[in-house]
């Protein structure tokens, strides 16, 4: 999308539902990265004129009502990569939503994908269970090349993760909405492609956005396509998995182990069965947190490019939902 006039905005509002400590940390990093051309202020600190002049705002889980006080907003820069709440809450004809696309986040995510794939590959959950009952028993070791790890979602995070798994000797497949070519990775797309790729997958890594199409995608049928004893890593969004189906598949042994970093409701409630399930590793949404310093630089680059060209950076396709 292109915009006719270059902006004169000097103050960037930060609109976020976050703890005060988190907000001041962001203000500090963003102010440093955006100086000397722009300053960053919390919405409540903006004058009426500054609200009027705002064509860009920096956001993290913003209250849509807060954005209404910025009548000339053209785009919002999210500090997060996942924007499904914002995409659902903001009007379709509202400001363009620019996601956080940070190469450092892709590196951090690929590190987490490799770490937890190795955890499953080297049977760590099984040895931990054995230790808890003082069992000394070794199990045959498989080569990484004998394990097929499939990355579902081959975007900014998924592609880097697939390449890192490949570099570590795994047999890697990938699946995305549109067809992709990635050297050394067997790629699939579409609904048929999903069933086909799951049928040969030992470890599935979820890295696609939550949209109308992906909600509940990993259901009883999808889990049944996987070979018995396969495992799952969810680093994307909780509602992509049908929890009832996953728990049934874990109980029956269809799925051997699930590493879950994201949940339908976070923080996970004390009564949630995942906490105590013997075949589940619960992580508190930590696989790839936004790094303040590198993310602030991405924001500064996008803002500077917009100031120069008047072009809104690549934004979320509101129809597609990501
Ligand atoms: P991205 O660059 O937009 O990539 C998304 C990928 O998913 C693309 O390959 C896309 O296919 C694919 N996809 C989307 N809808 C699909 C569908 N219906 N069927 C098949 N494939 C589909 O996103 P990203 O930056 O890699 O981030 C992915 C997600 O990771 C985020 O949305 C967020 O939810 C999650 N995340 C989690 C954490 C964490 O700490 N746990 C941190 C950051 C992000 P195409 O290539 O064909 O478009």
């Amino acid at each position: 999308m292109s915009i006719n006039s270059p902006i004169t905005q000097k103050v960037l509002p930060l609109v976020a539902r976050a703890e005060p400590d988190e907000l001041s940390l962001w203000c500090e990093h963003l102010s440093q990265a955006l100086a000397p051309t722009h300053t960053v202020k919390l919405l409540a600190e903006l004058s009426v004129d500054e609200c009027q002049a705002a064509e860009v705002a920096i956001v993290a889980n913003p209250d849509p009502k807060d954005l209404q006080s910025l009548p000339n907003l053209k785009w919002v820069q999210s500090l997060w990569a996942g924007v499904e709440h914002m995409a659902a809450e903001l009007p379709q004809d509202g400001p363009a939503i620019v996601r956080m696309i940070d190469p450092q986040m892709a590196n951090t995510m690929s590190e987490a994908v490799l770490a937890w794939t190795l955890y499953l590959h080297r049977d760590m959950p099984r040895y931990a269970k054995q230790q808890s009952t003082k069992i000394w028993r070794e199990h045959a070791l498989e080569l990484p090349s004998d394990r097929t790890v499939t990355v579902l979602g081959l975007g900014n995070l998924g592609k880097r993760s697939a390449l890192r798994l490949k570099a570590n000797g795994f047999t890697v497949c990938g699946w995305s909405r549109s067809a992709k070519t990635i050297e050394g990775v067997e790629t699939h797309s579409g609904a048929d492609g999903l069933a086909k790729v799951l049928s040969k997958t030992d470890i599935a890594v979820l890295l696609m956005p939550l949209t109308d199409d992906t909600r509940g995608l990993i259901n009883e049928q999808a889990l049944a396509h996987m070979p018995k004893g396969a495992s799952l890593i969810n680093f994307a969004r909780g509602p992509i998995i049908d929890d009832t189906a996953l728990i049934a598949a874990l109980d029956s042994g269809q799925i051997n182990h699930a590493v879950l970093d994201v949940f339908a409701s976070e923080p996970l409630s004390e009564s949630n069965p995942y906490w105590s399930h013997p075949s589940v590793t619960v992580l508190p949404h930590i696989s790839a947190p936004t790094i303040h310093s590198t993310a602030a630089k991405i924001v500064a680059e996008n803002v500077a490019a917009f100031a120069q060209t008047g072009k809104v950076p690549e934004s979320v396709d509101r129809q597609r939902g990501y």
Side-chain angles (χ1 to χ4, degrees):
M1 195 193 306
S2 76
I3 304 297
N4 303 330
S5 58
I7 60 164
T8 51
Q9 179 185 357
K10 294 289 169 223
V11 178
L12 288 161
L14 172 58
V15 188
R17 282 177 282 194
E19 296 299 321
D21 283 0
E22 180 66 4
L23 284 177
S24 49
L25 202 57
W26 272 118
C27 278
E28 191 187 310
H29 282 278
L30 289 164
S31 300
Q32 216 169 28
L34 284 147
T37 53
H38 294 82
T39 52
V40 178
K41 286 186 185 177
L42 295 177
L43 185 63
E45 297 166 355
L46 257 67
S47 68
V48 174
D49 285 350
E50 286 167 342
C51 283
Q52 286 289 333
E55 292 186 317
V56 188
I58 304 167
V59 299
N61 190 24
D63 184 335
K65 278 193 236 115
D66 285 344
L67 293 179
Q68 283 169 12
S69 53
L70 304 170
N72 295 313
L73 209 52
K74 293 196 163 112
W75 60 284
V76 293
Q77 168 69 62
S78 171
L79 295 174
W80 295 348
V83 292
E84 68 279 357
H85 284 302
M86 227 193 299
E89 286 181 350
L90 296 191
Q92 290 279 332
D93 59 353
I97 300 171
V98 177
R99 295 184 323 115
M100 176 51 62
I101 302 178
D102 182 354
Q104 177 55 52
M105 185 184 279
N107 276 338
T108 306
M109 182 57 92
S110 70
E111 179 184 81
V113 167
L114 178 61
W116 293 99
T117 298
L118 288 170
Y119 169 81
L120 295 168
H121 167 60
R122 293 302 303 254
D123 260 346
M124 293 192 209
R126 188 182 204 175
Y127 287 115
K129 273 180 212 163
Q130 284 189 191
Q131 182 176 352
S132 69
T133 46
K134 300 183 181 169
I135 293 174
W136 181 280
R137 186 180 302 148
E138 66 179 281
H139 303 280
L141 181 63
E142 292 205 33
L143 293 173
S145 55
D146 290 334
R147 296 252 196 227
T148 300
V149 186
T150 296
V151 181
L152 303 171
L154 294 171
N156 184 43
L157 307 181
K159 183 178 175 191
R160 187 74 58 90
S161 300
L163 290 172
R164 195 155 184 174
L165 290 166
K166 186 74 202 163
N168 279 270
F170 290 100
T171 295
V172 184
C173 291
W175 180 73
S176 51
R177 195 181 51 85
S178 57
K180 296 252 173 310
T181 307
I182 302 174
E183 205 184 328
V185 176
E186 182 186 307
T187 52
H188 298 257
S189 60
D192 292 352
L194 180 63
K196 196 169 163 195
V197 77
L198 286 181
S199 70
K200 57 168 96 173
T201 297
D202 298 309
I203 301 171
V205 182
L206 273 55
L207 271 177
M208 75 280 254
L210 176 63
T211 66
D212 289 347
D213 289 339
T214 63
R215 187 178 294 275
L217 185 81
I218 303 303
N219 55 15
E220 187 185 347
Q221 203 184 7
L223 294 167
H225 283 308
M226 298 181 78
K228 191 170 171 66
S231 293
L232 202 68
I233 299 174
N234 188 7
F235 286 166
R237 286 293 182 260
I240 295 173
I241 291 181
D242 174 338
D243 291 326
T244 309
L246 177 58
I247 288 175
L250 289 163
D251 289 344
S252 72
Q254 168 61 17
I255 297 297
N256 178 48
H257 198 89
V259 175
L260 305 176
D261 183 45
V262 287
F263 302 90
S265 174
E266 296 178 10
L268 197 59
S269 72
E270 271 188 36
S271 60
N272 192 291
Y274 281 140
W275 280 118
S276 52
H277 199 289
S279 303
V280 173
T281 299
V282 169
L283 300 172
H285 202 138
I286 45 77
S287 52
T290 307
I291 310 280
H292 296 84
S293 56
T294 59
K297 283 188 190 140
I298 302 286
V299 176
E301 282 167 18
N302 285 346
V303 169
F306 177 62
Q308 248 181 7
T309 66
K311 275 193 183 164
V312 174
E314 191 183 332
S315 62
V316 170
D317 177 328
R318 300 300 297 276
Q319 292 298 323
R320 246 176 22 178
Y322 71 98

